Amino acid sequence: EVQLVESGGGLVQPGGSLRLSCAASGFTFSNYWLSWVRQAPGKGLEWVGNMKEDGSYTNYVDSVKGRFSISRDNPKSSLYLQMNSLRAEDTAVYYCARDGVGGYFDLWGQGTLVTVSS
Amino acid sequence: ETVLTQFPGTLSLSPGERATLSCRASQSVRSRYFAWYQQKPGQAPRLLIYGVSSRATGIPDRFSGSGSGTDFTLTISRLEPEDFAVYYCQQYGNSPRTFGQGTKVEIK
C-alpha cells in the first residue's frame, strides 16, 4: 500500500525541541520531493518546507526559517522534521506529503499533533 | 506571498445540487499551477484537482476545476452525501506555496 506515516508528535514547552518522522512505503521514496504541511487547530493549511529527492536542497516558509530543519534517509524511506525554539503558534497537526510535479501534494500522511504549551 | 481568498466561507446545499466554489489569488498564478483538496473531519486532505483542471487518480468526474490567472473555480456537478466536507484551494506556481482558508460545504 502506498502510504506515509508520521510519528513523534507530543507536548513540548515553549523554546523546546521535537523531531518528527515520516515513514514511506509502497513507492520509490528517492524519486520524490517531500514536504511538511501543518494545520493549526480549527485552521487552514500551511506549507512548512520541502526537500529535494536526493536531499541536496531544502526550502522553508519564512516563519520557520532558522528554527526548523528537514532531512531524509532514502535507504530507510524516511523524512524528518527537526523543530527547535518552538513557539505556541507552532501548535498544529503536522502532515508529511509527497510533492507532485510542480508542487501540489498527491499523497498525505495521517498527521501527528504537536502542542507547544507550558 | 500569494494570498488565496476562498468564497463563500460556507455553502449550504442539498444532495443532488450543484456546488460552485471560488478562489481568488492576490496575484496571477504561474503556469496553471493550481490545485484543490477535500478534507473531512479528523482526516488528512485529499487531492482532487491539480493543474487547474486535471482530476487526481480515483476522483469521480462530478468534480471539475477551471480558471486562470487569479480566478479559479471548483464545481461539483451533483453533490453526493460523501462530498460534504471542507475544500481548500492551493497555488504552487509562486513561492511560497499557499492555501486558501477553506470553504465548508454543509448539508442544508
Side-chain angles (χ1 to χ4, degrees):
Chain A
E1 181 184 1
V2 177
Q3 63 178 357
L4 299 167
V5 179
E6 302 93 335
S7 60
L11 175 63
V12 60
Q13 292 188 339
S17 298
L18 206 58
R19 189 193 195 209
L20 306 183
S21 299
C22 170
S25 58
F27 64 97
T28 305
F29 183 79
S30 58
N31 285 355
Y32 292 89
W33 288 68
L34 274 296
S35 284
W36 288 97
V37 178
R38 67 184 178 182
Q39 185 170 35
K43 302 297 184 182
L45 300 162
E46 180 183 38
W47 172 79
V48 172
N50 67 345
M51 175 167 269
K52 194 177 177 182
E53 299 98 328
D54 63 0
S56 62
Y57 178 82
T58 53
N59 193 24
Y60 302 94
V61 69
D62 284 350
S63 59
V64 307
K65 281 181 182 176
R67 300 189 300 123
F68 289 13
S69 176
I70 298 173
S71 60
R72 64 192 293 164
D73 185 334
N74 282 351
K76 293 184 177 180
S77 295
S78 293
L79 181 74
Y80 306 99
L81 180 64
Q82 177 67 43
M83 303 184 293
N84 299 327
S85 303
L86 282 161
R87 308 166 180 167
E89 55 265 34
D90 296 318
T91 294
V93 173
Y94 284 74
Y95 295 101
C96 174
R98 190 176 72 178
D99 285 20
V101 175
Y104 57 89
F105 307 108
D106 66 352
L107 179 66
W108 297 69
Q110 86 289 351
T112 187
L113 176 62
V114 173
T115 303
V116 184
S117 174
S118 56
Chain B
E1 167 174 318
T2 303
V3 176
L4 299 181
T5 303
Q6 292 187 242
F7 53 96
T10 302
L11 202 49
S12 298
L13 296 167
S14 301
E17 289 194 294
R18 181 184 188 91
T20 302
L21 288 67
S22 298
C23 185
R24 178 163 292 160
S26 61
Q27 56 190 291
S28 185
V29 176
R30 182 178 67 91
S31 301
R32 294 177 59 82
Y33 282 173
F34 201 86
W36 291 92
Y37 301 84
Q38 176 193 69
Q39 187 177 35
K40 297 180 180 179
Q43 296 185 15
R46 177 175 71 143
L47 177 68
L48 299 175
I49 301 287
Y50 64 94
V52 175
S53 59
S54 297
R55 274 187 299 277
T57 302
I59 302 303
D61 60 7
R62 65 179 181 274
F63 291 91
S64 63
S66 63
S68 64
T70 60
D71 291 294
F72 300 89
T73 300
L74 174 70
T75 301
I76 310 171
S77 58
R78 288 179 56 86
L79 283 164
E80 297 288 340
E82 62 268 26
D83 299 337
F84 292 92
V86 178
Y87 292 83
Y88 292 96
C89 59
Q90 181 224 347
Q91 67 81 25
Y92 50 100
N94 306 331
S95 183
R97 290 177 261 184
T98 51
F99 293 87
Q101 83 281 10
T103 290
K104 182 179 181 180
V105 179
E106 66 176 22
I107 299 176
K108 186 175 181 180

